Structure formats: C-alpha cells, structure tokens
Amino acid sequence: MPRSERRPLGAGERGGPGRRSLITTAAFAGVVPVTAGATGAAHSPARPTPDTHPDFGPHVTVFDPSMPAADVQAALDAATAAQIANEFGTQRYAFLFKPGTYDVDARLGHCTSVAGLGLSPDDVTINGAVRVEGQPRPGGGSAPTDVWRSAENLAVVPTDGVNRWAASRAASLRRVHIRGRLFLLPRQGGFSSGGFIADSVVDGQVVNASRQRCSIRDSAVGSWSDGVRDQVFAGVTGAPDRPFPEQPFPEQPFPDPRYTTLPAGPLSREKPFLYVDSAGRFRVFLPSPRHGAVGASWTGGTTPGSSVPIERFFIARPTDSVRALNRALAQGKHLLLTPGVYRLAESIKVKWSGTVVLGIGFPTLVPVGGAVPMTVADVTGVRIAGLLFDAGTTESPALLEVGGRRGWRTDPRDPTSLQDVFFRIGGAGPGRAATSLVVNSDNVLLDHVRVWRADRDAGVGRTVDTARTGVVVNGDDVLATGLFVEHFQKDNVVGNGERDRTVMVRNALPYDASDRTVHGRHGVAGRVAYEVADTI
C-alpha cells in the first residue's frame, strides 16, 4: 500500500479511532509517574535486604560507597587493561555506582560503560576522573579509535580541575555533571573526531581544541573554547553564538562557520536509565518528551517521567535463546540486555507499544545466516537504547527495522526512540548487510546513532565488508538529533519521508572505492552522503 493511501488510526489505537490497541496491561504494570522533587520512597512498598540486587551476570559490577576505594579502583583498572586496545574483542563491561561518593580514577577502554544509580547525576560523585585519554599512534598521539564507551548519570570532581574525554564517535556523555573543566582532546596530542553530549552540565570551560564534528544538546556549559570543524549546539546554555575566529587549517577553510547554534532543540526525550530507589530496589526511569528544551532536564529537580520496577524486565544474557527473549516480550515484559555478544538466527521481535529494550555495557547483536537481528512493529513509545549491531558473514537485508513496510502512522505525542544505538559492518570480522537501519514508522527519534562500515586497515575492505546503504528513512516526521554515518558503498543516508528533520549529521564517504564511477547513478562521484528523494 502506498504511503499516501495509509488510513488514519482507528478507535482503540493510540492517537485515533479503529484498530485494536497494542498496549498491554502487562507492559505497563508497575509504571509509576515521577514528578520534579519526588523521592524514591514511594516507588517500593517493601524493603529488601540492602545488599541484594538483580543478577546482571559476570560482566556487570555494582559498586557501593562502603567498598574500599582500592577494590573499586582495582576492578576498573583490570577492565581498562583488558580493553584499552581491544576495539574488536568480545569482552564487554558495565560498572554501576550506587548513590554515594567514590575516590577513583576511571579510565575507560573499548566497550566499557560507567553509570550512576541515582535519580540525579549528583547522587553519585566521583572524586578523581571518568576519562578517555587517547592512544599513541604512528605520527603522533590521537583518539580517532577511542570509540564504543560511555559515561552516564554521575558527577565528576576532577582531581586537577580538568576531566578529559578524548573520545570519537559512539562514545556518549549523558546526564553528567562535570564540576570543573572538560577537555575533549587527547593528552598526548593529536585529535579526536566525533562526539555526543546530552542532558549534561559542565561548570567550567569546555576546551575542544582538537575535536572534529561534535553534537551537544539540552545541556549547560560555563563556556566553550576552540573547535576544529562542525560543532552543533541545540538548547545549550553557554554555547558560542558566533564562529570561533581562528582558522586552525587555513589551507582548508571549509566549513565556515564551524559553529551551528540552535537556541533550542525541536524535540528530545532522554535515554532510559537504571537507578536504585530509597528502599534499595532497582528500577528503570523513563524520561518524558521535552519540546524546545534548553539546558539539562534534572537541574530544577527530578527529570519528569515515570518509573518501572526491574521485575518488569527480562534480564537477558548472551546464552539465552532468541525464543526466550521473544517469549518474554510477547508476555509484555521489557528487555534488559547485559554485556556480551548475542548471536541471533532469528529476529528479536518488539511488538507492543511502550516496550523498553535497554542495553548496558554494549551488548552486541550479531545475525547468523542473514537474519535481521531486531524488528520493531508499528507501535508507539518503544525505546531502544544502548545496543551495538554487528553484521554477520551472510548478508542481512537490514540489522534493525523499525516499523512494517507499509508504515502505519504512529502517535507524534509518544515517539519511538533509538538512543546510543550503533551499527558496525566489519572490523570484528567480515560483515555484510544491504542496509544497517531501516525506519518505516512515522514519528521516530534518532538520538545518537552511529552507522559505520570498515573500509581501512588490514583484513577489511571493498569485497570483505559489503554494505550498500547506511540508513533508509521511509517514515514521516522522523527527527535525528545526532546521526553519524560513514563509508557505505552506495548512499550513506536516504530520506523518503515527509517533514523529516536532522539537527546534526556526520558523514564520511568510503576510502576503498574501486573507482569513482562504480555506482554512477549519482554522477561522477557515484556516492551520496545524504539523499532526499525527488518525490519529497
């Protein structure tokens, strides 16, 4: 059915009158609204044993402030040693800090996440650092491979007043309070390329002397200094209102200006996050949408939203079958994926409105036999967050499909969202996928999505890692607030929907083209960074 012939929603559907509602009682059992200034006391009628917590498996460590600082530091250091140069290994780690104060220096390696377990970032204070430093490389130190890592929902008091986050792409800072300055450049010199900061506060200056292509939204900074190229601000207090005057590369004047500053973002909804209530029970917080937001969501009190007990989640491990995951989803449960590599010969099927699929510690979904690892039905309010999709050796038609091919309309008041969702074609091994991400549904929010094909270094390339298109958007009213798409063999992004918007896109065309006319439909270069269909 052509999109122009799609009927409106009917009675019983969210947003309009006809079709049977896809919201199940089970999916929303236990959801508790949380308002600004609320405490966690009302969330849990019973008090569990204080030291109990869900079994998140062997690669998730939960810290308590009563633990000796040396033990906490030793656990962090062991993961750093294992992961600092292990970009494509199978190990993954998540470190969760219960509310309190910790004296530690957390240097993050690949596929490592740290997160606080409070309702506010200031509930967890790290005296020391949560940092990414960059790695020595031939010709000088730099950080373009400091990828696949994250820090969320905590405050940092830097030992020397400066916290360093020299990370490049798929390495987010969310709900972070830096009580000092923030440097986005490697200590050893060189550069970083690509970055994402959201719902955060930096009390001091952000120094961005080496970072290319950075997106920051719904945040506050003391001030912003420097920047190589392509710095995009939306709803950021303290953001620069004019281009930085010095041109670091006079021989390459593009782009000019290097700063793009929007006074407010059009729509945002923060990523779901784990927290512990005052009774010691784990819950997942679901922030509400914000329109025209300026500054962080938590500075005036608790972020508006609702809360779901962890018992409403199926806590998955890589050893669980896809049938077990789908059975839990069909019963109305949410899904929490713990660290590891999930090999899937069938699709994980998200069918119900309001379903949450939350990954911690970079859980990685790998298709087997050309499967599509995950599909999402045309329903409202689905939240997919914290996942890495890795292409398999047999070509998949897609790695993630959002909405059916007919693209039924959904509710703009309750969008589906993809947040910190990343895609790899190659690198860890030969990878093949026709398209990485296909969005058929309307009203979808793409909030920090990196889609990458390996096209350089040993063991990768044009015939090993094949992928024609990075992202195809067929839905209407799709908003991308941070889209990083790189090195695809045909088009990086194709937009076929009406009224779609992109606040920030980071593009890189392939380095390994056989010749400049191999895909000649688009002219001499043969490849397009961002195509909008002629019918739009």
Side-chain angles (χ1 to χ4, degrees), residues 177-507:
H177 186 185
I178 305 296
R179 299 180 195 165
R181 302 170 74 192
L182 178 64
F183 281 19
L184 301 177
L185 62 151
R187 187 181 298 275
Q188 305 96 325
F191 67 95
S192 53
S193 180
F196 183 85
I197 302 171
D199 202 29
S200 294
V201 174
V202 180
D203 292 345
Q205 185 181 52
V206 179
V207 178
N208 193 25
S210 79
R211 175 167 291 191
Q212 308 174 89
R213 308 174 187 93
C214 181
S215 176
I216 176 170
R217 65 157 183 79
D218 298 10
S219 295
V221 300
S223 62
W224 189 278
S225 170
D226 305 293
V228 178
R229 55 174 65 91
D230 301 341
Q231 316 288 302
V232 180
F233 307 84
V236 180
T237 61
D241 58 2
R242 60 182 183 275
F244 187 63
E246 298 178 11
Q247 175 56 259
F249 303 115
E251 72 282 5
Q252 299 179 20
F254 176 83
D256 184 16
R258 282 167 286 150
Y259 293 161
T260 300
T261 302
L262 306 180
L267 169 69
S268 59
R269 183 174 68 187
E270 299 308 327
K271 180 182 175 182
F273 61 89
L274 279 167
Y275 76 102
V276 176
D277 68 17
S278 61
R281 292 189 181 274
F282 277 72
R283 302 182 69 92
V284 173
F285 192 86
L286 308 178
S288 298
R290 303 173 77 201
H291 296 270
V294 178
S297 67
W298 47 269
T299 53
T302 302
T303 299
S306 59
S307 172
V308 182
I310 196 66
E311 291 78 14
R312 294 303 314 141
F313 282 78
F314 180 85
I315 300 176
R317 297 194 191 183
T319 52
D320 290 318
S321 69
V322 68
R323 292 186 180 182
L325 273 59
N326 281 332
R327 187 182 309 117
L329 289 168
Q331 292 169 350
K333 283 209 166 191
H334 306 290
L335 192 60
L336 189 146
L337 297 172
T338 60
V341 178
Y342 297 71
R343 302 191 184 278
L344 307 170
E346 302 174 47
S347 300
I348 298 173
K349 297 178 180 179
V350 180
K351 298 180 178 180
W352 304 118
S353 290
T355 300
V356 178
V357 179
L358 176 62
I360 57 173
F362 291 87
T364 303
L365 309 185
V366 181
V368 175
V372 176
M374 182 177 290
T375 62
V376 180
D378 273 306
V379 293
T380 59
V382 171
R383 305 178 196 231
I384 310 293
L387 302 181
L388 173 59
F389 291 83
D390 222 341
T393 55
T394 301
E395 183 177 272
S396 297
L399 299 180
L400 172 60
E401 292 182 351
V402 180
R405 295 183 182 180
R406 294 185 177 183
W408 294 106
R409 294 188 182 278
T410 54
D411 190 345
R413 296 167 297 180
D414 193 11
T416 284
S417 55
L418 276 58
Q419 299 176 290
D420 295 346
V421 175
F422 310 128
F423 301 83
R424 294 194 308 205
I425 309 292
R432 302 175 187 274
T435 303
S436 291
L437 171 63
V438 179
V439 179
N440 293 317
S441 290
D442 299 336
N443 304 298
V444 175
L445 176 63
L446 307 178
D447 184 46
H448 194 208
V449 173
R450 187 202 182 193
V451 190
W452 175 79
R453 174 184 161 268
D455 64 344
R456 285 183 288 179
D457 299 326
V460 305
R462 182 168 55 87
T463 60
V464 177
D465 307 302
T466 60
R468 293 188 291 278
T469 306
V471 179
V472 175
V473 177
N474 297 318
D476 297 339
D477 301 295
V478 174
L479 171 64
T481 55
L483 190 58
F484 300 74
V485 189
E486 305 162 277
H487 309 156
F488 285 84
Q489 294 176 298
K490 186 171 178 288
D491 302 321
N492 280 350
V493 181
V494 176
N496 296 317
E498 299 285 355
R499 299 176 302 280
D500 295 339
R501 294 173 292 175
T502 300
V503 172
M504 189 270 188
V505 62
R506 183 263 196 264
N507 161 73

